[in-house]
Amino acid sequence: MKQPFPGHLTSARLLLRPLHPGDAEALCAYRSLPEVARYQSWESFGPDDAARLIEAQRTAQPDVPGTWFQLAFVETATGRVIGDCGLHCLQEDGRQMEMGITLSPQYQGRGYATEAVECVLHYLFGTLHKHRVLASTDALNHRAAALFRRLGFRQEAHLVESLWFKGQWGSEYLFALLKREWEASHSQKNLDSPRP
């Protein structure tokens, strides 16, 4: 039986929740930036794009094979939407999820992406009991590749010039993490944590 999304997820500095109609301006503010769009599927992102994305997500749930579920990253201290995460439940095997993230450049380099992805992984593996989570990144997106490596993802492939992307051949890295690998990593972190 599919589990509905609990409403929101929380981490130390973030609230992760479904998109709201009031998020359109914030989404446009960072998604329209050339440095953000560079590695994403869109060339530009305006109010109409934001409205379509928000409307498409109005009744979405995260555990439906073949669909995407989008979460906004809200900075708890300010209430600002600073990024978002797409979760794709694979059509061919609903026990596997694909994820992709977008973070405002203003908030990069401050640990927010790591915090958000760790929170999402805890939900996917701990609550939804997914077997495998995968992510693909442009091979030139060094920050994204470093993020997934830091979080314990394995690089499973380097697809060289495999994708015609924005007028040129692009290369991609494919990363994946199994539930048992995530559990082993968390068990080790708990052992390494200082005792009170």
Side-chain angles (χ1 to χ4, degrees), residues 7-26:
H8 66 271
L9 308 173
T10 55
S11 64
R13 298 175 295 168
L14 296 171
L15 179 111
L16 284 66
R17 58 152 173 81
L19 298 177
H20 293 168
D23 296 336
E25 185 177 345

Side-chain angles (χ1 to χ4, degrees), residues 31-171:
R31 279 178 162 237
S32 64
L33 298 172
E35 63 267 37
V36 172
R38 178 181 178 194
Y39 301 118
Q40 301 287 6
S41 60
W42 59 86
E43 294 282 350
S44 61
F45 195 90
D48 289 345
D49 301 299
R52 277 192 296 273
L53 176 60
I54 291 167
E55 177 58 26
Q57 288 293 305
R58 195 168 47 84
T59 60
Q61 288 293 323
D63 202 16
V64 179
T67 65
W68 282 89
F69 180 72
Q70 207 78 19
L71 288 171
F73 301 159
V74 180
E75 186 182 39
T76 308
T78 63
R80 289 190 189 110
V81 174
I82 64 168
D84 59 90
C85 174
L87 300 175
H88 177 216
C89 187
L90 300 190
Q91 177 70 50
E92 59 274 17
D93 188 343
R95 297 167 295 181
Q96 299 188 61
M97 296 288 281
E98 176 185 4
M99 74 173 351
I101 67 162
T102 308
L103 187 67
S104 168
Q106 180 182 350
Y107 293 90
Q108 292 177 11
R110 294 161 57 179
Y112 283 109
T114 299
E115 186 175 323
V117 174
E118 283 181 333
C119 183
V120 170
L121 289 173
H122 191 271
Y123 172 66
L124 294 178
F125 288 131
T127 302
L128 296 185
H129 306 290
K130 296 299 177 182
H131 171 69
R132 182 171 178 264
V133 175
L134 62 118
S136 60
T137 69
D138 190 296
L140 297 176
N141 191 347
H142 304 298
R143 284 186 154 199
L147 168 70
F148 290 115
R149 288 185 181 113
R150 187 167 55 249
L151 290 169
F153 282 73
R154 280 171 291 97
Q155 182 180 319
E156 294 191 332
H158 180 185
L159 307 174
V160 179
E161 295 186 12
S162 62
L163 180 68
W164 184 253
F165 184 69
K166 299 188 177 181
Q168 62 185 354
W169 286 106
S171 300

Side-chain angles (χ1 to χ4, degrees), residues 167-185:
Q168 62 185 354
W169 286 106
S171 300
E172 290 185 297
Y173 292 139
L174 177 64
F175 293 96
L177 182 66
L178 297 175
K179 181 179 181 183
R180 61 178 165 78
E181 294 169 326
W182 176 79
E183 288 172 339
S185 170

